Amino acid sequence: MATSIARRTGHCLTYAVLGWAVAYGGVRLAWTVGETPEFRQFGSDLLGFTGWWSVALCLTAAALAVALDRMPTWRPVLAGVAWAVTGALVAAAAILLPELVGFLLFTVGPHFEPTAFASRLGCVTGAALLALATAGYQRRTRGDCPDCCRTIRPGHRRVVPARWARWAAYVAVAGLVVRFAAQAAVGLGSLAQDAAVIGLEVCLLLAGVLLPLALVHGWGEVWPGWVPLLAGRPVPRLLLLVPGFGLGVGIVAYFGMGLAQLLSGSVSEFSDAFLWVAMSAYSVLGLGLLAASSDYHLRTRTACAACGR
């Protein structure tokens, strides 16, 4: 029963990816062969994958979705390529991170471009659909539980954070410290000119210290005594997992693409030395958040009703 449901879900996801590729890929094709809208703020709606590269990315995602749906056995290379294309789609829309922070802090400036924002959302939508299709393929072909995708044997659940997760959390905090130390070295005022950037840094200052530490300490699972009205109650998992994974993916994508552009020799108002240190530190923060969030997810999830794991 569960297998048939998983199979039908896989078919639906395949059609969803194909529909997205036709719709979004059609827009990318029209912009490539016709007149591309003028994007003033960043020069383009996507990073790295523009023009024919964006069209190729959509076609590749569609082909992979079909291959994942029709492949009856586990092929690590196929899954790896699918995850790589998913990552490329997220990286291409990495500018969404500061834009979404701007929305949350009500700091969206006059240079906000709805067309570019919609395009980035469309790109991330394709990434999400392909990620779901890839995860479904793994569940179906690796022998994992179709309901929860778990492979850990009964009796092997951890209740304390893994040592590597603690190190990841502390490294994430260290990355943030290095980032702001580099900013202090060049002058705080020189980077505080854009409201979205200020909002991004405020969020990172909070999330880069409290969030990674909460993911690996007990007060991230049970509210501590100094929290009014909530002391002693369980902390909702999604309260930490959503920003943990969301910020982790967004930071790695945004600053990873920044490092790639720096390698290509892009010009900036800041020195190359500062950019290398700052972007590398941000990337370390994002990777640390992803690692600590993964451990928190594995440690705090409830037992699956289907497999008992």
Side-chain angles (χ1 to χ4, degrees):
M1 178 66 177
T3 302
S4 62
I5 294 177
R7 194 72 180 131
R8 288 197 299 270
T9 302
H11 289 321
C12 292
L13 286 171
T14 300
Y15 291 131
V17 175
L18 291 175
W20 166 84
V22 170
Y24 187 71
V27 173
R28 305 304 314 184
L29 180 62
W31 286 358
T32 300
V33 300
E35 184 177 354
T36 304
E38 180 183 355
F39 301 107
R40 298 180 303 277
Q41 187 174 12
F42 296 101
S44 176
D45 57 328
L46 301 181
L47 294 176
F49 297 91
T50 57
W52 289 108
W53 284 108
S54 63
V55 177
L57 202 58
C58 295
L59 293 175
T60 303
L64 283 170
V66 174
L68 291 169
D69 186 52
R70 296 189 176 183
M71 181 63 66
T73 56
W74 170 241
R75 292 291 185 269
V77 174
L78 176 61
V81 172
W83 285 120
V85 172
T86 300
L89 288 167
V90 173
I95 300 175
L96 267 180
L97 177 62
E99 287 184 324
L100 292 177
V101 170
F103 275 115
L104 291 174
L105 298 179
F106 304 101
T107 57
V108 178
H111 300 294
F112 173 74
E113 297 172 309
T115 302
F117 181 73
S119 175
R120 292 165 195 143
L121 282 180
C123 191
V124 169
T125 299
L129 292 174
L130 184 58
L132 291 173
T134 307
Y137 166 74
Q138 293 182 179
R139 297 183 185 187
R140 176 170 51 86
T141 59
R142 288 196 312 182
D144 299 346
C145 173
D147 285 359
C148 68
C149 197
R150 297 178 188 177
T151 56
I152 300 177
R153 291 173 293 175
H156 287 72
R157 292 174 58 84
R158 287 186 292 103
V159 294
V160 296
R163 180 177 298 180
W164 57 264
R166 290 187 181 274
W167 276 107
Y170 297 140
V171 167
V173 176
L176 186 68
V177 172
V178 171
R179 165 61 180 87
F180 280 100
Q183 180 171 328
V186 300
L188 294 172
S190 63
L191 298 179
Q193 299 176 357
D194 185 86
V197 174
I198 296 173
L200 174 63
E201 293 186 348
V202 170
C203 287
L204 286 173
L205 182 60
L206 297 176
V209 176
L210 294 179
L211 182 56
L213 295 181
L215 289 167
V216 295
H217 287 87
W219 48 274
E221 299 179 40
V222 178
W223 292 106
W226 48 266
V227 179
L229 303 179
L230 297 175
R233 297 184 180 183
V235 175
R237 297 176 70 244
L238 294 181
L239 187 63
L240 297 183
L241 287 178
V242 171
F245 280 118
L247 276 177
V249 170
I251 290 171
V252 170
Y254 184 72
F255 292 102
M257 290 299 290
L259 286 172
Q261 290 184 327
L262 194 59
L263 278 172
S264 66
S266 61
V267 179
S268 172
E269 61 181 299
F270 307 113
S271 68
D272 286 350
F274 167 77
L275 291 175
W276 275 111
V277 172
M279 291 185 180
S280 298
Y282 270 140
S283 299
V284 168
L285 167 62
L287 291 172
L289 277 175
L290 288 176
S293 299
S294 298
D295 178 78
Y296 183 87
H297 164 65
L298 295 173
R299 192 176 73 252
T300 60
R301 62 186 181 180
T302 58
C304 175
C307 66
R309 289 179 280 188

